[in-house]
């Protein structure tokens, strides 16, 4: 009878794909395996590259150097804002009107997954496990996208999401953003917009929206505070119509010397 009970219990546990606790053997084994895959991918030898900053200068000529010559450094703008702040819509208009290459960290990750590469499969595995994609992987995708464009100005949408992202970007690319645009929008307005949009997103319900906003506040605000202390942040009032908000955006970008 004891043996039969053990068999039944084993069958029940095997049929449940979800670990029953953070300390279960399957959970720990899964966690260890994906960490090893990340480490192996990041440590894999690559063909020698010039220092990141010089690579970016070669591909994205811009800014004059202190000697009056062309230092070939790209103009980099980070665009930040909470979910529902409207930054994605405004980024598309900025890119169109001011000649920016529009890079979205989320789109780059999704494109890598769709490509079917080993890195794409790894990213998908990490996301499926509810984990955050390591900063190094995301920054490498951004760096390659920056190098592959001939645009003189680069708009990076929704990145960095946290201080770890920021530090990894500056370390890997060897540069800082020239500008950080923050679309400042009240929480109740962002909730209203997210609930009202019809994009078929399963996470657009009141509970998950509020969780996303809390995550944004805890992770993104320290990044904004850091760049504010360096005089790089320009806040845009993200309430009003799309056209009204872009009026403030136009005023900012028209005043810049690229």
């Amino acid at each position: 009878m004891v043996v039969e009970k053990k068999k039944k219990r084993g069958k029940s546990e095997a049929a449940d794909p979800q670990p029953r606790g953070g300390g279960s053997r399957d959970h720990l084994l899964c966690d260890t395996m994906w960490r090893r895959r990340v480490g192996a991918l990041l440590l894999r030898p690559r063909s020698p590259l010039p220092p990141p900053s010089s690579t970016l200068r070669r591909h994205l000529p811009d800014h004059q150097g202190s000697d009056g010559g062309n230092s070939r450094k790209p103009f980099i703008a980070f665009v930040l804002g909470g979910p529902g702040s409207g930054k994605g819509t405004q980024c598309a208009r900025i890119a169109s009107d001011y000649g920016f290459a529009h890079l979205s960290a989320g789109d780059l990750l999704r494109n890598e997954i769709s490509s079917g590469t080993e890195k794409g499969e790894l990213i998908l595995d990490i996301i499926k496990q509810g984990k955050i994609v390591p900063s190094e992987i995301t920054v490498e995708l951004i760096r390659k996208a920056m190098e592959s464009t001939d645009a003189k100005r680069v708009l990076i949408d929704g990145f960095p999401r946290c201080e770890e992202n920021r530090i990894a970007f500056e370390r890997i690319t060897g540069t800082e953003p020239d500008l950080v645009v923050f679309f400042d929008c009240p929480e109740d307005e962002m909730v209203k917009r997210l609930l009202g949009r019809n994009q078929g997103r399963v996470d657009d319900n009141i509970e998950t929206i509020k969780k996303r906003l809390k995550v944004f506040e805890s992770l993104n605000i320290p990044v904004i505070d850091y760049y504010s202390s360096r005089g790089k942040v320009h806040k845009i009032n993200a309430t009003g119509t799309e056209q009204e908000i872009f009026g403030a955006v136009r005023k900012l970008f028209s005043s810049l010397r690229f």
Side-chain angles (χ1 to χ4, degrees):
M1 292 296 291
V2 174
V3 173
E4 185 177 348
K5 283 183 180 179
K6 284 185 177 180
K7 284 183 178 178
K8 286 183 179 178
R9 196 174 102 183
K11 183 177 179 182
S12 174
E13 290 176 351
D16 184 359
Q18 299 296 328
R20 297 194 176 273
S24 70
R25 183 181 303 174
D26 288 347
H27 178 77
L28 293 174
L29 179 60
C30 183
D31 188 67
T32 301
M33 288 176 66
W34 85 259
R35 287 180 183 276
R36 285 178 179 171
R37 288 182 66 193
V38 170
L41 190 61
L42 295 177
L43 293 174
R44 178 177 296 170
R46 296 180 299 185
S47 56
L49 288 170
S53 55
S54 63
T55 303
L56 295 178
R57 290 192 193 104
R58 186 179 73 244
H59 285 272
L60 297 163
D62 205 359
H63 296 348
Q64 288 193 341
S66 57
D67 59 354
N70 192 347
S71 67
R72 295 180 170 269
K73 180 185 180 299
F75 185 95
I76 301 172
F78 287 161
V79 181
L80 304 175
S85 63
K87 64 182 174 55
T89 300
Q90 297 297 326
C91 278
R93 298 190 66 170
I94 294 168
S96 174
D97 285 20
Y98 294 96
F100 277 79
H102 180 191
L103 305 181
S104 163
D107 287 347
L108 291 172
L109 288 168
R110 284 186 284 272
N111 291 342
E112 190 67 25
I113 291 171
S114 299
S115 69
T117 63
E118 182 181 353
K119 184 181 289 185
E121 291 177 1
L122 173 60
I123 293 169
L124 182 59
D125 286 346
I126 294 171
I127 292 173
K128 281 182 176 179
Q129 293 174 45
K131 301 180 185 295
I132 297 174
V133 177
S135 296
E136 289 79 5
I137 291 179
T138 306
V139 173
E140 277 296 326
L141 292 176
I142 292 172
R143 182 181 67 82
K144 288 179 181 178
M146 291 170 68
E147 291 175 3
S148 66
T149 180
D150 292 327
K152 295 179 180 181
R153 305 173 188 111
V154 180
L155 200 66
I156 303 179
D157 177 0
F159 187 91
R161 290 175 178 261
C162 60
E163 278 286 272
E164 183 189 354
N165 283 174
R166 176 190 68 77
I167 293 167
F169 179 88
E170 294 179 2
R171 174 173 54 81
I172 293 172
T173 66
T175 190
E176 291 187 7
D178 298 279
L179 171 71
V180 179
V181 181
F182 172 46
F183 284 94
D184 192 10
C185 190
E187 180 177 320
D188 59 345
E189 178 65 20
M190 289 190 283
V191 170
K192 185 170 113 178
R193 289 176 183 175
L194 291 171
L195 288 174
R197 73 186 185 184
N198 184 22
Q199 296 181 354
R201 290 186 57 159
V202 295
D203 56 349
D204 282 351
N205 61 68
I206 191 69
E207 290 183 6
T208 53
I209 285 171
K210 290 197 170 182
K211 285 180 183 177
R212 288 167 63 197
L213 289 170
K214 283 183 181 178
V215 169
F216 168 77
E217 185 174 358
S218 64
L219 296 181
N220 229 206
I221 296 303
V223 176
I224 294 164
D225 289 343
Y226 172 81
Y227 284 124
S228 292
S229 70
R230 298 179 66 79
K232 294 178 181 285
V233 173
H234 290 263
K235 288 187 179 182
I236 299 289
N237 181 355
T239 57
T241 66
E242 177 186 326
Q243 192 58 38
E244 287 170 342
I245 296 168
F246 190 66
V249 170
R250 186 186 292 113
K251 184 176 179 181
L252 168 62
F253 278 82
S254 297
S255 70
L256 298 174
R257 297 183 63 185
F258 298 116

